[in-house]
Amino acid sequence: DQQVKQNSPSLSVQEGRISILNCDYTNSMFDYFLWYKKYPAEGPTFLISISSIKDKNEDGRFTVFLNKSAKHLSLHIVPSQPGDSAVYFCAASADNYGQNFVFGPGTRLSVLP
Amino acid sequence: NAGVTQTPKFRVLKTGQSMTLLCAQDMNHEYMYWYRQDPGMGLRLIHYSVGEGTTAKGEVPDGYNVSRLKKQNFLLGLESAAPSQTSVYFCASSYVEGPIYEQYFGPGTRLTVT
């Protein structure tokens, strides 16, 4: 059973609008969360992180929200740009050690011009 | 600064053949990892290393071996390839400092076993 779920395999958004990518997890011990972005034929690249001591973290157009009681996090991209079209993975860990991060299956975001 | 590099980028093997995937990083990272990515699934950890000369098993280690003889290199070996090992393989490395230990990934190796 997947511990980290991204229930939307794909998402399409108009350029300039908000993109919201969701991630749910089942392990209540998870305290560290990461989002990665992946373009075709490239490896994932780190985008933004959050730990459970916060419920929000912002970096430019990207904001991650964490709702620990609901075991849910979301990535907001505002405004969305065509260059944001990629696959987005969330990852979670209980102890911040790299080998223990569990990755979700990813959501493919398409930003339409 | 090349970051994390992987060779080869593509490979086709016949069942039973062996091969080694090479990962190299120039960021002086202590930790290195090998993942596989299959359709509809997240990255799954095969093996990892917390320093030169050390390796450990991840979630899906069966059928693979690894070695970390030099800090900058992490090798993944398939001794007898099987069709179930058809996948995209990613190597990654990470610091062990900072608030959260994000990983830096290579571009991937697409392996097909026929």
Side-chain angles (χ1 to χ4, degrees):
Chain A
D1 190 32
Q2 288 188 343
Q3 295 189 71
V4 178
K5 303 176 185 182
Q6 294 177 258
N7 291 323
S8 298
S10 62
L11 175 69
S12 292
V13 170
Q14 210 66 36
E15 181 179 4
R17 305 293 292 268
I18 184 171
S19 295
I20 300 176
L21 294 96
N22 294 307
C23 179
D24 296 289
Y25 58 95
T26 58
N27 189 340
S28 59
M29 300 298 290
F30 286 157
D31 279 332
Y32 301 90
F33 305 90
L34 299 164
W35 283 94
Y36 288 87
K37 178 167 76 172
K38 183 184 178 305
Y39 293 118
E42 296 183 12
T45 55
F46 169 72
L47 191 57
I48 194 167
S49 64
I50 192 166
S51 68
S52 60
I53 61 173
K54 291 182 161 186
D55 55 17
K56 176 182 170 181
N57 190 25
E58 279 183 89
D59 184 0
R61 295 185 298 113
F62 302 91
T63 303
V64 56
F65 294 92
L66 175 62
N67 183 333
K68 212 159 157 36
S69 61
K71 298 193 192 70
H72 176 82
L73 65 156
S74 61
L75 175 68
H76 292 210
I77 307 174
V78 184
S80 302
Q81 300 174 353
D84 296 329
S85 297
V87 178
Y88 290 80
F89 295 97
C90 67
S93 171
D95 58 15
N96 202 17
Y97 287 102
Q99 64 269 24
N100 294 327
F101 273 95
V102 179
F103 285 79
T107 296
R108 181 178 302 279
L109 173 65
S110 299
V111 180
L112 309 172
Chain B
N1 189 338
V4 180
T5 57
Q6 293 182 233
T7 51
K9 288 187 167 46
F10 303 94
R11 186 73 187 267
V12 178
L13 286 180
K14 293 188 189 307
T15 298
Q17 287 185 321
S18 63
M19 78 163 294
T20 300
L21 283 68
L22 170 64
C23 176
Q25 54 96 3
D26 60 3
M27 295 173 283
N28 202 34
H29 287 168
E30 287 294 333
Y31 283 36
M32 295 187 75
Y33 316 84
W34 276 107
Y35 291 91
R36 60 178 289 172
Q37 186 190 14
D38 300 298
M41 302 185 73
L43 295 164
R44 291 185 294 167
L45 185 65
I46 304 170
H47 286 278
Y48 65 98
S49 168
V50 301
E52 181 179 319
T54 73
T55 63
K57 293 179 181 180
E59 179 187 354
V60 289
D62 293 342
Y64 305 95
N65 57 74
V66 287
S67 64
R68 183 114 181 255
L69 299 179
K70 293 183 180 180
K71 187 177 182 179
Q72 63 268 33
N73 295 337
F74 195 28
L75 278 63
L76 178 71
L78 287 74
E79 291 183 347
S80 179
S84 61
Q85 293 177 303
T86 293
S87 189
V88 181
Y89 291 85
F90 289 100
C91 175
S93 66
S94 68
Y95 292 111
V96 290
E97 296 174 358
I100 294 192
Y101 305 158
E102 72 262 25
Q103 297 175 32
Y104 294 77
F105 285 84
T109 295
R110 185 173 294 275
L111 174 66
T112 302
V113 183
T114 61

